[in-house]
Amino acid sequence: MPAAHALSYEGQRRRFTRWAISPSVILLLLVAGLPTVFLLVTSLTPGTLVQAGSLTDFSEPLGNYRYLMEDKRFHESLLVQARLSVYTVILQVILGTGMAMLVHAGQERWKSLRHLFVIPMVLPPIVVAVIWKLVYTPDISPIFHTAKALGFMLPAFTSNADFALASIVVADTWEWAPFTFLMVLASLQTLPGEYVEAARMDGANGPRIFQHIVLPYIAPVLVVCTLFRVIDSIKAFPLIFLLTGGGPGSVTEVTNYYAYLLAFNYGELGYSSAVTVVLLAFTVVISWLAMRLNGKLQNQE
Amino acid sequence: MKRPFHYTAWAVPLLLLVMLLPFLWLLQMSFKPTDMILEFPPRMVFMPTLEHYRGLWNGEFPASFVNSLVTSTVSTALALLLGVPAAYALSRWSGRGRFGLGLSILLTRMAPPIAFTIPFFLAYRYLGLLDTRTGLIIIYMTFNLPLVIWMMQPFFDAVPASLEEAALMDGAGFPTVFLEIVMPMATAGIAATAILCFLYAWNDFFFALILTRTDARTAPVAVVNFMNYEGWEWGKIAAGGSLVMAPVLVFSLMVRRYLVSGLTAGAVKG
């Protein structure tokens, strides 16, 4: 046995894996860890690009955070974010589940089509935004032409305060409902057919089967989808950038977008960092929650 | 139970058609003669033209396309180079490593990109990396590295340790064992991971928007630039958009089995 060797299999492997992992660990600390620290530090300064030395001015470290408390636009952006997240997530989970049920019901016939349902989700986000820009632009969109032909005027969705957020929600739902679709379909495929058969024998109808058998079975997946979409909705950017630019006024200005404007339109890097730190804290809490919940769900299985 | 006719026979294709309508519309627009683009009712039958694609070819678009290709490919290669051995290490060495992996993925994958952009912007300005491909490559690699580690681990978990042990007993060194025994067994995983990394970098808009101006501008940003103050060039927008999504459609079909694990990397597992 080579166990007697100075370096056994275990020993050699340990030495090799140490070498294998070090570059990644160092790099991640350098390019992911360090910027996080850097962001925290910047958030303590009044840093702007125009004022020399402002990025190293720590005379009033909590100034940005104090200002956050009274910044109406920031509060407003949190509300917009909440609205966007709630609407999009609910719609996406319901529609995605519906689509999955439908395709699952017709599986044999449409097996090969199911990959096409996923197209919106894999498209480059900016292409999705371009597509919806076309849909929402009166000159070019058939929707507006059709409305005009039928004799009524549609409001310009993206520049109308009442419709702007809804137009983002619709586009985002188109893009991401396929995510729930994919996850739920995968889950439905592992649902034992006997359960459904047995229930049907007992005289249960479609809605009851859904409520008592299918829904409990896919519930964990729905929870995962919801949390994942919530986390991602905090990052919404290309759609807002291209469709509304946060407007009109600030009805579609989510916190992420506000932070972007602060930093890269107004040059307020310090204050933007503070906004971003809050956003980051939110994300970490939700992600942590997602991990915990998922762990619990898996233990139940 | 076999049914001769089922509502899904029409409902599924109908739903699919409705879903893909906006996407198909962009595609047909890219082949439509300019004067027909604004026509209503829209013409369904027309002589396809390549004028918009030709127009793109003559402008700055090809340069941005090349930038996209270079930054996506190089960042993917680097992420694999670093991440594949790391994934192997974590697969063979459970314990504290796994926690670190979970945390790093969680941070890079979940954090809003703006959290990285501000520090990177300042650092790049200082280092002269703004508007360079190198700058983009570094940030894409940063985001792809955890994805590689995450995706590759299960593939290495599937390689039995007894194989490695046997090769070692035959006198091979560990690097040889890794390269000649372990790696070939994980090729499928490496291919899938590479494609997902490439797509991630290719699809990026946010970082490219902020960290590039002209020299290193990528294709997604270039498409948006067709919407300018002089009026929007719909034909070019449609053609550019179609070109940007073409590789994505091909590649994502190839990795459809891994899409979910790629998309959820770090979302719910540690």
Side-chain angles (χ1 to χ4, degrees), chain A residues 114-126:
Chain A
R114 69 180 194 274
H115 301 302
L116 297 178
F117 277 93
V118 182
I119 285 180
M121 173 180 94
V122 298
L123 289 182
I126 198 64

Side-chain angles (χ1 to χ4, degrees), chain B:
Chain B
M1 239 196 310
K2 213 173 166 91
R3 270 164 282 189
F5 186 81
H6 197 252
Y7 65 92
T8 57
W10 53 267
V12 172
L14 186 73
L15 179 70
L16 184 65
L17 183 72
V18 171
M19 269 216 51
L20 293 188
L21 214 53
F23 156 78
L24 295 170
W25 189 44
L26 179 85
L27 208 59
Q28 61 93 30
M29 189 185 283
S30 73
F31 294 108
K32 218 172 201 172
T34 310
D35 47 348
M36 284 185 201
I37 285 182
L38 293 175
E39 229 172 63
F40 186 81
R43 215 174 282 214
M44 292 301 170
V45 186
F46 57 88
M47 204 40 205
T49 168
L50 289 177
E51 62 170 290
H52 306 306
Y53 289 95
R54 222 171 288 131
L56 285 181
W57 182 251
N58 295 325
E60 286 163 13
F61 192 78
S64 65
F65 206 80
V66 171
N67 283 336
S68 273
L69 269 179
V70 171
T71 52
S72 305
T73 313
V74 176
S75 65
T76 300
L78 288 174
L80 287 175
L81 196 69
L82 289 164
V84 169
Y88 172 74
L90 282 170
S91 156
R92 290 293 181 267
W93 164 37
S94 50
R96 273 180 311 162
R98 278 183 200 262
F99 179 74
L101 167 72
L103 201 69
S104 66
I105 292 176
L106 193 77
L107 267 173
T108 45
R109 181 63 183 77
M110 293 299 105
I114 183 112
F116 289 90
T117 320
I118 295 172
F120 268 85
F121 179 79
L122 289 169
Y124 279 11
R125 215 167 72 103
Y126 181 72
L127 298 168
L129 285 172
L130 280 181
D131 201 17
T132 63
R133 289 174 187 174
T134 314
L136 278 187
I137 288 169
I138 293 173
I139 200 154
Y140 293 156
M141 179 186 64
T142 308
F143 275 74
N144 274 335
L145 185 57
L147 177 71
V148 172
I149 301 177
W150 162 268
M151 286 282 299
M152 285 308 298
Q153 235 188 316
F155 290 97
F156 289 131
D157 288 344
V159 177
S162 55
L163 272 180
E164 299 165 17
E165 248 170 304
L168 272 179
M169 281 208 260
D170 290 344
F174 219 103
T176 321
V177 172
F178 178 67
L179 287 175
E180 288 176 15
I181 311 279
V182 181
M183 285 278 280
M185 294 192 70
T187 340
I190 294 175
T193 307
I195 290 178
L196 279 170
C197 287
F198 181 89
L199 291 182
Y200 184 89
W202 184 268
N203 280 355
D204 167 67
F205 174 72
F206 192 74
F207 293 128
L209 175 76
I210 290 165
L211 301 176
T212 70
R213 289 285 171 274
T214 47
D215 296 349
R217 180 194 291 158
T218 59
V221 182
V223 170
V224 170
N225 281 345
F226 290 130
M227 301 182 174
N228 51 39
Y229 297 109
E230 294 137 44
W232 297 347
E233 306 172 76
W234 290 116
K236 279 191 182 172
I237 293 167
S242 305
L243 282 179
V244 172
M245 68 194 185
V248 174
L249 293 175
V250 176
F251 274 167
S252 53
L253 264 181
M254 290 164 71
V255 292
R256 51 184 187 258
R257 274 205 298 151
Y258 305 101
L259 268 182
V260 168
S261 51
L263 278 165
T264 54
V268 286
K269 289 183 183 168

Side-chain angles (χ1 to χ4, degrees), chain A residues 56-200:
Chain A
T56 45
D57 174 9
F58 297 103
S59 56
E60 208 204 341
L62 293 179
N64 286 327
Y65 292 96
R66 205 165 301 131
Y67 184 64
L68 267 180
M69 303 286 196
E70 45 191 87
D71 183 358
K72 286 246 168 55
R73 199 165 158 186
F74 172 68
H75 302 161
E76 198 67 32
S77 77
L78 289 175
L79 260 172
V80 175
Q81 179 63 68
R83 239 176 266 148
L84 181 75
S85 297
V86 169
Y87 294 152
T88 53
V89 171
I90 290 179
L91 276 174
Q92 286 165 22
V93 169
I94 293 178
L95 282 176
T97 307
M99 278 155 56
M101 301 276 298
L102 185 68
V103 172
H104 184 68
Q107 256 246 313
E108 283 318 306
R109 206 189 295 256
W110 300 121
K111 216 171 187 142
S112 53
L113 279 186
R114 69 180 194 274
H115 301 302
L116 297 178
F117 277 93
V118 182
I119 285 180
M121 173 180 94
V122 298
L123 289 182
I126 198 64
V127 174
V128 172
V130 165
I131 288 175
W132 285 91
K133 186 86 184 173
L134 299 181
V135 175
Y136 290 141
T137 301
D139 290 348
I140 193 157
S141 169
I143 297 179
F144 289 87
H145 285 299
T146 313
K148 211 195 272 170
L150 292 175
F152 60 93
M153 287 291 286
L154 283 177
F157 296 119
T158 52
S159 53
N160 181 306
D162 295 328
F163 292 96
L165 190 65
S167 62
I168 302 275
V169 169
V170 169
D172 194 82
T173 301
W174 182 78
E175 184 178 4
W176 288 108
F179 179 68
T180 309
F181 165 80
L182 205 61
M183 301 268 284
V184 171
L185 189 62
S187 173
L188 285 177
Q189 276 161 351
T190 61
L191 174 71
E194 309 93 78
Y195 290 9
V196 180
E197 282 308 312
R200 195 164 280 141

